[in-house]
Amino acid sequence: MKKLVSTAFASFALLCLSTAALAAPPIKIGALFAVTGPASFLGEPERNTAQMVVDEINKAGGVKGRKLELITYDTGGDATKAVQLANKLVKNDQVVAIIGPSTTGDSMAIIPVVEKAQVPLISCAAGSKITEPVKKWVFKTAQNDGLAVARIYEQLKREKKTKVAILTVSDGFGASGREQLKAQAAHYGIQILSDDTYGPKDTDMTAQLAKIRGSQAQALICWGTNPGPAVIARNAKQLGLSIPVYMSHGVSSKKFIELAGDAAEGIRLPSGKVLVADLLPKNDKQRNSLLAFIKDYQNHFKAEGDHFGGHAWDAVMLLKGAIERGGDTPAGIRNALENTRNFPGIGGVFSYSAKDHAGLTKDAFTLVEVRKKDWVLVK
Amino acid sequence: MKSDRIKFLVFALVVLLVPLPLSGGYLTNVLIFVGINSVLALGLNLLLGYAGQISLGQAAFFGLGAYGSGVLTTAYGVNPWLAMVAVALCVALFAFAIGFPVLRLKGHYLAMATLGVGVIVNIALNETVELTGGPSGLSGIPNLTIGSLTFDSDLKNYYLVWVFALGMILLSLNLVNSRFGRGLRAIHDSEVAARVMGVNARLMKVQVFTLSAFMSAIMGSLYCHVMTFISPNSFGFHFSVELLTMIVIGGLGSVYGSILGALLLTLLPEMLRTFQDYDIIVYGLLLITMTIYLPGGLVEGIPALLRRLVPARKVTEGSDA
Amino acid sequence: MLSLNGIGKRFGGLTALEGISFNVGKGSITGIIGPNGAGKTTLFNVATGIYPPSSGAVLLEGKDISKLPPEGRARLGLVRTFQNIELFGKMTVLENVMVGLHTQSRSGLFACSFRMPWQMSEERRIRERAMELLDFVCIPDLAGVQAGTLSFGKGRLLEIARAMALEPKILLMDEPAAGLNSSETAELAELIKRIRDLGVTVALVEHDMDLVMDICDQLVVLNLGTMLAEGTPRQIQDNPAVITAYLGEE
Amino acid sequence: MELLNQVTQFVISGLATGSIYALIGLSFAIIFNSTGIINFAQGEFVMLGGVLTIFSLNVLHLPLLAAIVVAVAVTTIIGLLFERLAIRPLKNATPLMLIIITIGASILIRGLVMLLWGKDTQALPAFSGTDPISIAGATLLPQHLWIFGVTVLVIIGCRLFFNHTISGKAMRACSFNRRAANLVGISVGRMVLFSFVISAAVGSLAGVIIAPLTMTAYDVGVMLGLKGFCAAIMGGMGSGLGTVLGGLILGTLESLGAGLISSGYKDAIAFFILLLILFIRPQGLFKKGETERV
């Protein structure tokens, strides 16, 4: 009898607890992604991943017993819309933090909004000027372009190649890469012999490549997102361009190999480790996160998770950690974020500090090469 | 004449009172952009709805205004108000210069030429990286100030933008109901007849083109100071088409129609929240169905619908009694 | 008044007009007649500057106006109406006439948008003058009607009022009686005479021979782009070449 | 010597790209010639050709030839529906309304394709391999030869159709004078429909044969359409050699501009030339002037 009462009591208590957990209002997180428009190749996997991670967290009981509610809006890659929607998240939805936007332009546009409203922002865009100089409320998960550039230049230096040609796409991604390529060249003793661009919708780059073929360049570095680089790979093969071709992390997905076909063979690029998760040594810090992300993404979307989705994964997980440690107020979350150390994510191992809101080192990138339609690590 | 004045006063009063119940909320922010888009749409409507000359490059003038002010104030520290006036005058001059050859063209050729101007300006904004920051955009543009008053909140910006907008709306209303406006409408109906009536069609077309460029440039300057960040893809072909959609939906050849169209299309993403990815399809469908079934836009369509409904109800009431 | 000197006009390889020369006397009513395809409307288009002539010159009061655009010629007092009535259909009848008064007023873009005082008084003046003109063609009651909804006959009257608004020295009318019934044509004849009595020279292209013979002082006959004859209605009626052109070879 | 080699390559590449523009330009001209409409949704027909072929190939697992036939057929039906649903209902359409409607249609088609097949770029395998062919020190791909070949076939086809068949002659008659054509018993409505059907077929065929080179996605139509339109304007909107020459010149100038002047301003150069032509010779580079009749 006594036993029965205590069991009943215990179960009642448990029931109370769980209803309390259910009754607690969810923690609202805002998300802005360029799901449509020219940057949708970023926004779509990011939105998918963010929703997926939030669902997984809620399934596992939420954060400190409270559910997360993700409120996602599509910016269409339009700065004006991004600002309106950021305002909406802050003022109407009263979110405690915002993840995204996908592009550097959208991110730069909404920084004044979040700074003024004092809501932490974890951007998923790559441009280094988002967190340089450091803004109090702004963090980012996507690796800085500068890190990718450094990775390529290091390799070239090792191979004693000093003359390069660069070919960048004329959008935000390419412009930022171009800036970094030019800024860091001197530091690695590299000389840029030709500096060309192409339009995001161009279908033939043989003119630029023929010009590069005629120069003394020892390597070609191309900065763009699909489909441009695939066109360049094909055109380079058509022209019989013999120098090694380096791409950016903008095309580090199977899609690039699929689009470029045979022409992709031998092309190298810096990539987040998500591409080569199964090739990583057992003791790699990121291994567990990477494998979990890839498995989840495969289960949900029957597709390969790429590092763009990874940016959103990192953003949500960093936020989860920050809420656990700092509570559910914007200020608490911000402080906890800034104190995040050695968080193994998809993009790399994050360590934020008061002086660094980007949180990654160049170890975030590995250099990979296409061999037999798959990626291999460059030793 | 009198009733036009009263209509405008009521409209202005509504505009000035609307933000009060919103208490600086999110909607205030959206309404700032409604104000900007209203004037942009109005500029295009003067050109397209009144004079009958299409432009698919309106976003270029808006962009030049925004970048002109943005660059002058950030890189050269020019006084923002001075920059606004100087830039608007330069943009107007530019429009005046290209207006003569461009507006000699008609119909599809005119559409293509204005589109070409838009594309070239957009490429120039993208490529002059040293000046404009290129595709990554231009940030750190200061807010406008008057004395010690800084326009740094949504509410202040709302009144800033709408004071300009109301002024331009009033001037446009005056214009379309005058000798000049009659000339434009005459050109729209029959350019040959208008010219035979002694209307200098070529010059008037260029003048109204210049005026719309001037209005767009002023709004561009305001936009850059409100946003404090600008990037070239806000001023591309896509936006020109959006402006076109606004006036087609609101009402070609109607000042208030332009504003209605701007209001609806700026709030549309809000209303289509449930559709998410489908809004691009809704745009397309709206353009087609409105042109086929409601070529006068909503300003003509709504009253027509009401007229059709009201007598219908009277009949039913009568049959009840 | 209006002199055409050796006017020729070619479209591609097709010759529409060749060697047309005649004078329209001041204060007269001159009729230009000819079978279909004779080039009458083309001649009007050249005279009013809608087409540039391929050869020859157009002189108004002795001054060469060949290089002027239509609006420039209108300002000098050379005004026309159209065969298929070119009204501004979406504007009201009154507004149509007010467009005709365009050359009688000066307010530009700035004055109009800022409602300068002189612009306001000019606007009032134009409005009053437009009403007078509607009175002149006897349709003052239609002032507020949308022009596109007018019957053909009323449209014709409006077009004439609008043309008169320009205070023309010479008015060219392209088939004014086309599409009118007989009573409307009779009214038109009266109206044209009243216009002439105001001191305006009139030239008209017309198929309605009764009308032409009734009101014209002088006739010019075109055939296949060339001038066939010139003279008073009586002379033309008896001209064998004209009879052949109209009735064909026996 | 090296410069000469480069220039040869620029020219050859330009001609290859130019023939793509030419083919799309031809499909513009077909509609314009019989209706006076510039179809701003023309680029979407091109896109549909490529996207539908890939869909038939990858999802329906059809062989390449069958996939192409399906793609062209479906696009043609879409062209037909477009004319029926969006162009036909307009009474007394002004050019302005037609511009707005065709822009609306292009947005709609693009949106539907995006929803149905996603936003990813996809590639079609080349028809005859990817081994480059060397010509005078410059290289081409076998796919370029396909494009040249199809362009030539389409020109010949148009010639034969417009000059030697009843329907073709009737369509030309409509372009000269609609009212007169109607009077002699030609159904103008049917000819307009015809022109949309043929143009959709040609456009989608262009889309199919260029897909292995340029790859395809829901939004490739915009730029290709604009360039095709430039080509057609340069050629004076004719459905023959003029447009083809226009396309080839545009492609070559673009390629030379990218190679010798500035790759960033490549498109600006193309549009600048377009503007110059519109200003100086609105009737196109190869046509004699005609006076507009009032």
Side-chain angles (χ1 to χ4, degrees), chain D residues 255-277:
Chain D
S255 172
L256 285 171
L260 299 176
I261 305 172
S262 154
S263 42
Y265 286 103
K266 182 172 66 82
D267 286 343
I269 295 169
F271 278 99
F272 189 68
I273 293 167
L274 172 83
L275 284 179
L276 277 187
I277 291 174

Side-chain angles (χ1 to χ4, degrees), chain B residues 1 5 170-171 173-175 177-180 182-183 185-190 192-202 204 207 211, chain C residues 50 69-71 74-75 80 82 86 88-91 95 98-100 102-103 105-107 109 112-115 119 122-123 126 162 166:
Chain B
M1 270 331 217
R5 274 290 137 102
L170 181 63
L171 294 185
L173 281 170
N174 288 344
L175 191 67
N177 291 319
S178 70
R179 171 178 181 269
F180 195 88
R182 276 194 303 275
R185 283 182 289 155
I187 293 170
H188 191 176
D189 262 0
S190 166
V192 172
R195 292 179 66 180
V196 172
M197 290 302 112
V199 175
N200 191 339
R202 197 171 292 170
M204 283 182 74
Q207 279 180 318
L211 175 70
Chain C
I50 290 168
E71 57 267 31
R75 279 167 196 277
R80 73 171 288 179
F82 292 85
E86 294 265 352
F88 306 119
K90 290 180 194 140
M91 301 165 74
E95 281 177 325
M98 288 169 83
V99 172
H102 201 87
T103 52
S105 48
R106 284 184 20 254
S107 305
L109 182 63
C112 288
S113 40
F114 287 98
R115 292 216 170 176
Q119 185 259 336
E122 183 180 87
E123 185 80 8
I126 293 179
R162 190 181 64 180
L166 280 100

Side-chain angles (χ1 to χ4, degrees), chain A residues 295-315:
Chain A
K295 192 169 135 254
D296 280 352
Y297 204 90
Q298 187 69 40
N299 286 344
H300 275 82
F301 304 109
K302 306 280 170 278
E304 203 178 339
D306 55 18
H307 72 148
F308 304 129
H311 299 329
W313 194 94
D314 291 344

Side-chain angles (χ1 to χ4, degrees), chain A residues 80 84 87-88 91-92 105 171, chain B residues 26 29 135 154 223 229 270:
Chain A
T80 317
Q84 289 171 12
N87 266 294
K88 180 161 198 221
K91 289 181 180 157
N92 275 28
D171 63 15
Chain B
Y26 152 71
N29 180 268
D154 284 346
Y223 171 87
F229 169 87
E270 201 53 39

Side-chain angles (χ1 to χ4, degrees), chain A residues 34-38 40-41 44 47 167 170 195-199 201-204 206-215 226-228 230-232 234-235 237-240 255 258-260 262, chain D residues 2 5-6 9-10 13 17 20-21 114 119-124 130-132 137-141 144 211-215 218-220 223-224 227 255-256 258-264 266-267:
Chain A
V35 184
T36 56
S40 59
F41 69 96
E44 186 148 31
R47 179 193 58 184
L167 180 53
S170 56
D195 168 13
D196 277 291
T197 60
Y198 67 91
K201 292 272 160 254
D202 283 2
T203 52
D204 183 277
T206 43
Q208 291 95 320
L209 291 169
K211 194 171 134 196
I212 291 164
R213 188 179 61 177
S215 73
N226 284 326
V231 174
I232 290 170
R234 287 158 167 238
N235 287 164
K237 190 186 170 216
Q238 176 198 336
L239 292 181
K255 191 82 209 169
E258 186 194 307
L259 291 178
D262 295 341
Chain D
E2 178 52 41
N5 250 340
Q6 274 184 34
Q9 181 66 49
F10 295 155
S13 296
T17 320
I20 297 177
Y21 299 159
M114 183 185 89
K119 298 154 197 154
D120 273 343
T121 304
Q122 286 177 306
L124 192 64
T130 53
D131 295 329
T139 48
L140 271 181
L141 291 175
H144 288 127
L213 272 183
T214 64
M215 291 171 262
Y218 74 100
D219 59 349
V220 296
M223 211 54 188
L224 286 174
K227 295 287 176 63
S255 172
L256 285 171
L260 299 176
I261 305 172
S262 154
S263 42
K266 182 172 66 82
D267 286 343

Side-chain angles (χ1 to χ4, degrees), chain A residues 20-22 24-29 53-69 96 316-328 333:
Chain A
L22 277 177
I27 300 171
K28 286 186 185 172
I29 300 171
V53 181
V54 167
D55 289 348
E56 293 285 328
I57 290 172
N58 285 342
K59 219 187 281 172
V63 182
K64 290 206 283 189
R66 287 177 67 187
K67 302 264 179 201
L68 297 182
E69 183 187 346
V96 295
V316 178
M317 294 308 273
L318 282 165
L319 206 54
K320 178 184 172 227
I323 295 171
E324 274 164 0
R325 282 175 286 120
D328 62 357
I333 292 171

Side-chain angles (χ1 to χ4, degrees), chain A residues 143 151 249 252 269-281 283-291 293-294 304-308 310-311 314 344-349 360-368 375 377:
Chain A
Q143 305 95 334
R151 194 76 204 192
H249 54 302
S252 66
L269 52 89
S271 160
K273 291 182 179 168
V274 65
L275 215 52
V276 287
D278 45 345
L279 303 179
L280 292 175
N283 61 356
D284 192 287
K285 279 191 201 159
Q286 287 174 253
R287 200 164 184 274
N288 290 338
S289 304
L290 289 169
L291 292 178
F293 165 62
I294 291 170
E304 203 178 339
D306 55 18
H307 72 148
F308 304 129
H311 299 329
D314 291 344
I346 306 301
V349 179
L360 295 173
T361 62
K362 64 177 182 292
D363 295 334
F365 281 111
T366 51
L367 206 58
V368 297
W375 308 102
L377 289 167

Side-chain angles (χ1 to χ4, degrees), chain B:
Chain B
M1 270 331 217
K2 274 265 167 56
S3 70
D4 283 355
R5 274 290 137 102
I6 292 167
K7 225 197 257 178
F8 177 76
L9 283 177
V10 171
F11 174 73
L13 204 66
V14 170
V15 164
L16 294 177
L17 292 180
V18 153
L20 298 182
L22 300 176
S23 59
Y26 152 71
L27 214 54
T28 317
N29 180 268
V30 177
L31 288 175
I32 296 173
F33 296 100
V34 172
I36 291 174
N37 289 342
S38 291
V39 176
L40 295 173
L42 179 57
L44 181 59
N45 213 341
L46 289 178
L47 186 66
L48 178 57
Y50 286 92
Q53 309 300 311
I54 196 167
S55 165
L56 293 177
Q58 276 316 90
F61 302 122
F62 180 48
L64 284 174
Y67 266 98
S69 273
V71 170
L72 283 179
T73 49
T74 52
Y76 300 99
V78 177
N79 177 296
W81 296 102
L82 187 68
M84 183 187 296
V85 175
V87 167
L89 287 177
C90 287
V91 171
L93 199 67
F94 170 67
F96 190 73
I98 62 167
F100 281 98
V102 167
L103 289 161
R104 239 179 39 196
L105 303 166
K106 291 191 170 68
H108 302 103
Y109 293 98
L110 177 63
M112 206 59 205
T114 49
L115 195 157
V117 170
V119 172
I120 292 174
V121 167
N122 201 250
I123 290 175
L125 293 181
N126 259 313
E127 290 297 321
T128 48
V129 178
E130 286 74 20
L131 209 60
T132 62
S136 2
L138 184 67
S139 55
I141 302 165
N143 284 121
L144 283 169
T145 51
I146 299 177
S148 60
L149 172 68
T150 304
F151 291 93
D152 55 357
S153 77
D154 284 346
L155 197 64
K156 291 181 204 161
N157 277 320
Y158 175 91
Y159 283 110
L160 171 73
V161 166
W162 273 104
V163 163
F164 272 85
L166 284 175
M168 293 201 191
I169 290 165
L170 181 63
L171 294 185
S172 302
L173 281 170
N174 288 344
L175 191 67
V176 298
N177 291 319
S178 70
R179 171 178 181 269
F180 195 88
R182 276 194 303 275
L184 293 183
R185 283 182 289 155
I187 293 170
H188 191 176
D189 262 0
S190 166
E191 184 167 340
V192 172
R195 292 179 66 180
V196 172
M197 290 302 112
V199 175
N200 191 339
R202 197 171 292 170
L203 181 66
M204 283 182 74
K205 286 196 281 186
V206 174
Q207 279 180 318
V208 75
F209 185 63
T210 307
L211 175 70
S212 78
F214 180 83
M215 289 163 71
S216 306
I218 292 275
M219 284 299 132
S221 297
L222 288 175
Y223 171 87
C224 90
H225 292 298
V226 169
M227 288 279 287
T228 70
F229 169 87
I230 47 178
S231 73
N233 60 3
S234 308
F235 313 110
F237 176 53
H238 178 80
F239 189 65
S240 292
V241 172
E242 209 171 307
L243 289 176
L244 183 69
T245 318
M246 286 176 197
I247 62 172
V248 168
I249 288 175
L252 284 169
S254 158
V255 170
Y256 291 107
S258 323
I259 300 157
L260 181 65
L263 178 75
L264 284 178
L265 235 71
T266 315
L267 291 177
L268 186 72
E270 201 53 39
M271 296 184 272
L272 295 178
R273 186 64 61 221
T274 40
F275 291 112
Q276 284 270 5
D277 295 3
Y278 299 81
D279 61 348
I280 181 169
I281 295 178
V282 175
Y283 266 55
L285 272 179
L286 276 177
L287 269 180
I288 297 177
T289 48
M290 292 292 295
T291 315
I292 297 177
Y293 298 107
L294 253 188
L298 287 179
V299 279
E300 253 179 45
I302 291 174
L305 197 69
L306 287 180
R307 267 198 303 279
R308 208 187 290 175
L309 287 180
V310 169
R313 203 175 38 195
K314 266 183 194 151
V315 170
T316 45
E317 275 168 8
S319 65
D320 279 352

